[in-house]
Amino acid sequence: MTEVCSWCLERWYPTFWTQIGLGMAEFSDLPMTRPAETLHDLYDAKYVGEYLEKYIEEFKYEGHTLRDRIYFGVSVTKVEKKDATWAVHVYCDHTKTASVFYATKLMIASGLTSTPNMPDLPNQDCFKGDILHQRSFGQSSVLASPSKNVTVLGGAKSAADMVYASVKAGKSVSWIIRSSGSGPAAFLSSEGRGPYKNSAELGFTHIMSTFTPSYYTPRNWWTRFLHRTSLGGWTKDLIWKTADKVSRTGADFDGRVNARESFKKLKPSTTVFWSNDTLGLIQHPEFWQTIAENVDVYREDILELDNHIVRLKSRVEVPTDVLLCGTGWNPSAFDFFSDAQMAELGLPHSIDQATTNDLVWSKLQTEADHQVLAQFPGLASPPDYYKKPTSLTPYRLYNSMASLNDDSIVILGYIFVPNSFRAAEVQAIWATAYLDKQIVLPSAMEMQAQIALLNAWCKRRYLNNGDGGNYLHYDLIGYTDTLLRQLGLSYHYDGWWKYLFTTRTAIDFKLPWQQYLAKTARKTV
């Protein structure tokens, strides 16, 4: 697969497992063969990579597979539009030649995990060890190398995975989480309850989606009860407090036997409800004990690098042969667009270059904030948290895909969700209908108001993570339902009980695809 794919085999490493179960990390037209080894229906990520390799070979359209249609080793250098035609300028790394592709419709699907967010560390030139981003970890020889001291920077799931993998490989591991950041992620046990094989399965039900104060929450008596009454709020809070307690009890930060003193520094700064520190699943039963006994944890900023040392602001020196950066991704990886294009299309751009249009958006979002708090009064009182400075505007796309100023382009896959497969499949249906003019849209003014409302809600709901307007961690079911409803499509369910409590998987979308293709076939006859 292309190197921008998080699941490609080139990024795989031992201990890298899925956080979603069987039937979720796949598409509706090709079920995945059950992996040989599973834990609570979670499995080694290499099977997802193998599935995707198979997928692009499985189907032929006009005699060509998806693999036949992919240009590998190509960088997009510029995208521009002249009259009604898009020109995509590319450079081929293999042939060292430039060329241009022309199209009347354009889908940008380069993904959120294509451009690493690498920290600019003082005195980096003096460092004698290796510095790698999480993107390169699987392809590197770190785990098999003679390098002894491994330091991991970052507090989210990718950092935790690299810490665990390095300890299991016999390395001496230090884990640095900046004090000037959101803090360490919260982690839930992967073990399920009742009919649910893992904890993710419960999260992918309609009933659980109603317990989050979501922009996509259906407005009915039940959600009004949960989010606008005292008793409903108590019920909702009990669910979330229980989830947070389960997370912290599983880690046992204060009482774990044989834990190093610094293990306590992995306590999340906020609860799992706010998801300000991000959220992950524990796929390995011995994860916490392995970390507690073997890892030195630091909650400090880095002062500088030097020789084989990471020096912290407290002047503590951390011996380091390899520095692994689990520091995430550039939130606006659109280097092929100019600043003016970014603003015009509704993509994140510098707030230091605010235009008159940006001021209009700011006013709309401020007004929308009052609507958010009227609908979800509980969001008016967030916990104390470190507020990151914001340098970019949020995404301003209708349904997180469509520009208000150009209906010949869609931006796909630029939302943070716990299951990118589910989002990708429904976005594909919606985007196809949109570009083919097979969907009735609201007025431009109404779409603008909806975007402002989404951004205002996202900022309230997810704190730092919500600044971009594209963080939908607990909202995927509502989001995909909304897209299908706009298209007049639905998936099959047998009665209200199954509708509410059945885990939503890829097979959901087999019927909507059939419905959509049947609709468009009738219109073209």
Side-chain angles (χ1 to χ4, degrees), residues 98-111:
S99 56
V100 184
F101 293 89
Y102 296 97
T104 56
K105 299 174 184 178
L106 184 63
M107 291 183 173
I108 303 292
S110 48

Side-chain angles (χ1 to χ4, degrees), residues 383-445:
D384 292 334
Y385 69 101
Y386 171 79
K387 178 60 182 171
K388 291 181 182 178
T390 302
S391 61
L392 297 173
T393 64
Y395 284 83
R396 291 163 177 161
L397 303 170
Y398 181 61
N399 283 340
S400 300
M401 287 182 279
S403 169
L404 294 186
N405 296 318
D406 194 322
D407 62 3
S408 68
I409 182 173
V410 287
I411 312 295
L412 303 178
Y414 276 85
I415 51 175
F416 289 95
V417 291
N419 183 355
S420 57
F421 284 84
R422 184 179 186 86
E425 186 148 10
V426 185
Q427 282 196 336
I429 304 174
W430 193 92
T432 300
Y434 173 79
L435 292 176
D436 285 345
K437 304 293 190 293
Q438 299 290 336
I439 181 172
V440 178
L441 297 170
S443 68
M445 184 176 295

Side-chain angles (χ1 to χ4, degrees), residues 320-331:
T320 305
D321 299 315
V322 179
L323 177 60
L324 302 175
C325 299
T327 47
W329 309 91
N330 187 330

Side-chain angles (χ1 to χ4, degrees), residues 169-184:
K171 307 299 182 182
S172 177
V173 182
S174 300
W175 190 353
I176 299 174
I177 301 171
R178 293 179 301 123
S179 57
S180 59
S182 296

Side-chain angles (χ1 to χ4, degrees), residues 13-303:
Y13 53 88
T15 72
F16 178 26
W17 277 46
T18 66
Q19 298 186 80
I20 50 178
L22 293 169
M24 294 185 184
E26 60 189 59
F27 298 115
S28 63
D29 54 352
L30 183 66
M32 178 189 288
T33 302
R34 184 180 179 89
E37 181 185 2
T38 63
L39 175 69
H40 308 308
D41 260 17
L42 306 180
Y43 47 93
D44 194 313
K46 70 181 180 182
Y47 293 108
V48 182
E50 291 172 355
Y51 170 83
L52 291 172
E53 291 283 354
K54 179 181 179 182
Y55 191 89
I56 63 173
E57 297 278 12
E58 185 75 11
F59 304 106
K60 284 189 175 182
Y61 304 93
E62 297 182 353
H64 299 283
T65 65
L66 292 179
R67 184 185 291 276
D68 295 335
R69 299 165 185 267
I70 299 174
Y71 288 83
F72 293 96
V74 172
S75 301
V76 177
T77 58
K78 183 170 66 172
V79 175
E80 58 185 346
K81 191 176 185 183
K82 295 180 180 179
D83 298 323
T85 301
W86 288 99
V88 181
H89 298 258
V90 303
Y91 180 79
C92 180
D93 299 327
H94 301 308
T95 62
K96 309 299 182 186
T97 58
S99 56
V100 184
F101 293 89
Y102 296 97
T104 56
K105 299 174 184 178
L106 184 63
M107 291 183 173
I108 303 292
S110 48
L112 282 164
T113 59
S114 57
T115 304
N117 178 37
M118 285 295 286
D120 184 15
L121 302 172
N123 213 27
Q124 189 168 317
D125 292 342
C126 296
F127 185 64
K128 304 302 181 184
D130 295 320
I131 301 177
L132 297 173
H133 187 264
Q134 63 202 65
R135 172 177 174 167
S136 306
F137 183 59
Q139 293 174 290
S140 74
S141 58
V142 171
L143 299 181
S145 74
S147 298
K148 178 183 178 183
N149 298 308
V150 172
T151 297
V152 179
L153 174 62
K157 183 66 169 68
S158 57
D161 283 345
M162 291 191 291
V163 167
Y164 178 78
S166 298
V167 173
K168 300 300 280 187
K171 307 299 182 182
S172 177
V173 182
S174 300
W175 190 353
I176 299 174
I177 301 171
R178 293 179 301 123
S179 57
S180 59
S182 296
F187 294 100
L188 292 172
S189 167
S190 58
E191 184 177 359
R193 298 287 188 275
Y196 305 105
K197 298 183 180 66
N198 54 68
S199 51
E201 286 194 353
L202 177 58
F204 283 99
T205 62
H206 278 101
I207 188 63
M208 284 306 298
S209 72
T210 65
F211 283 92
T212 183
S214 176
Y215 171 85
Y216 300 100
T217 298
R219 307 302 190 252
N220 53 40
W221 71 268
W222 171 246
T223 56
R224 284 193 294 273
F225 166 72
L226 287 177
H227 301 292
R228 300 181 69 176
T229 70
S230 297
L231 179 58
W234 179 87
T235 304
K236 169 182 63 80
D237 290 346
L238 179 62
I239 295 291
W240 286 105
K241 287 177 181 178
T242 300
D244 192 67
K245 182 178 180 181
V246 168
S247 170
R248 293 172 188 266
T249 301
D252 194 9
F253 295 112
D254 294 313
R256 185 169 287 275
V257 176
N258 296 328
R260 299 186 182 187
E261 184 63 26
S262 64
F263 179 64
K264 297 177 182 179
K265 296 179 181 180
L266 291 177
K267 291 180 183 178
S269 302
T270 57
T271 64
V272 298
F273 170 82
W274 293 100
S275 193
N276 189 52
D277 319 306
T278 72
L279 182 69
L281 287 189
I282 299 298
Q283 306 105 319
H284 307 284
E286 75 287 0
F287 173 84
W288 283 125
Q289 195 63 36
T290 299
I291 302 302
E293 292 182 3
N294 297 285
V295 178
D296 289 319
V297 181
Y298 301 90
R299 290 283 293 272
E300 292 189 48
D301 283 14
I302 293 175
L303 176 65

